[in-house]
Amino acid sequence: GAGVSQSPSNKVTEKGKDVELRCDPISGHTALYWYRQRLGQGLEFLIYFQGNSAPDKSGLPSDRFSAERTGESVSTLTIQRTQQEDSAVYLCASSANVRGMNTEAFFGQGTRLTVV
Amino acid sequence: LAKTTQPISMDSYEGQEVNITCSHNNIATNDYITWYQQFPSQGPRFIIQGYKTKVTNEVASLFIPADRKSSTLSLPRVSLSDTAVYYCLVEGSSNTGKLIFGQGTTLQVKP
């Protein structure tokens, strides 16, 4: 596809349920990022994948959050036992890596998660 | 990690030039400075990136002094459609390649 694609665009779930959010990066982009953005707030870094390196998980807020990436393609962010405070927009971005430097990041439209 | 500090909000009027300054005192030698723009209900969009001195593109200019401890994003003749949140980031080894967004500067352009 032409850009970063995220699905679903909206998700309403009950407290305590697990959710999976999907991100399809731009083909050929080795770097992939996940962020959380609460209403009126900035982007909170969650996790960063770069090629075959071990992911940087330093931003994951709790062990209920996990993410996987298949090679250099699709990524899935999983939130287990969702809580109301998990309600936010989850944004995914990808970028190419040229001579060791990540180029501009392209963002998807995000998944709006509402936990009721 | 290289931390950035920028004003929370700014107001301007259509047709004015807007300058948003960001401080990044602990920027590393091989770090770049990048600015993103975010409209409501959308993901951020890359605006401009620079290492030192001045960079200009069709959207904005970026001024970086010699010590690189700050940078200024300049938007010429803003319009209502420039109302958005603007984020300053430091990219490179000091952040181990990941993109760390701060709170950004909310720019409100008034008619």
Side-chain angles (χ1 to χ4, degrees):
Chain A
V4 176
S5 176
Q6 291 188 245
S7 60
S9 54
N10 281 284
K11 175 73 176 177
V12 180
T13 189
E14 291 181 353
K15 178 181 171 181
K17 295 285 180 68
D18 297 352
V19 295
E20 276 192 1
L21 312 180
R22 178 185 170 105
C23 173
D24 284 276
I26 293 173
S27 178
H29 280 190
T30 58
L32 187 146
Y33 319 81
W34 280 100
Y35 296 89
R36 176 170 71 180
Q37 187 169 35
R38 294 193 167 110
L39 189 63
Q41 302 295 311
L43 280 76
E44 179 186 358
F45 167 77
L46 297 178
I47 188 168
Y48 162 55
F49 296 89
Q50 175 57 272
N52 295 319
S53 301
D56 183 330
K57 304 179 180 181
S58 60
L60 294 178
S62 76
D63 59 7
R64 295 188 295 107
F65 289 72
S66 63
E68 300 292 331
R69 187 180 186 192
T70 308
E72 292 184 354
S73 61
V74 65
S75 175
T76 302
L77 176 69
T78 301
I79 308 174
Q80 296 178 310
R81 304 181 302 281
T82 51
Q83 304 293 315
Q84 288 185 329
E85 71 241 28
D86 299 334
S87 295
V89 175
Y90 290 82
L91 289 158
C92 174
S94 71
S95 66
N97 189 281
V98 178
R99 294 187 295 277
M101 177 73 184
N102 287 336
T103 60
E104 67 176 278
F106 292 85
F107 281 79
Q109 288 298 305
T111 293
R112 181 175 299 279
L113 175 67
T114 304
V115 181
V116 297
Chain B
L1 296 179
K3 179 176 162 57
T4 60
T5 303
Q6 53 185 122
I8 295 294
S9 64
M10 293 182 71
D11 288 341
S12 182
Y13 291 92
E14 283 191 291
Q16 289 189 331
E17 178 184 79
V18 170
N19 296 309
I20 306 174
T21 296
C22 176
S23 66
H24 25 79
N25 291 319
N26 56 344
I27 189 169
T29 302
N30 59 354
D31 286 344
Y32 283 74
I33 299 143
T34 310
W35 286 78
Y36 283 79
Q37 173 191 56
Q38 185 179 27
F39 297 115
S41 301
Q42 293 186 25
R45 181 177 71 115
F46 173 91
I47 301 176
I48 198 166
Q49 183 181 74
Y51 183 80
K52 62 180 179 180
T53 61
K54 177 182 174 183
V55 179
T56 296
N57 62 22
E58 65 279 5
V59 176
S61 294
L62 179 59
F63 298 90
I64 305 167
D67 67 4
R68 304 199 328 120
K69 292 185 183 300
S70 66
S71 60
T72 299
L73 175 73
S74 181
L75 305 171
R77 299 178 299 282
V78 294
S79 64
L80 296 176
S81 63
D82 292 315
T83 293
V85 180
Y86 293 82
Y87 296 95
C88 163
L89 286 77
V90 168
E91 291 192 60
S93 61
S94 63
N95 284 330
T96 61
K98 57 184 181 264
L99 302 179
I100 302 298
F101 288 76
Q103 288 299 304
T105 297
T106 299
L107 172 65
Q108 179 70 51
V109 180
K110 302 175 182 178

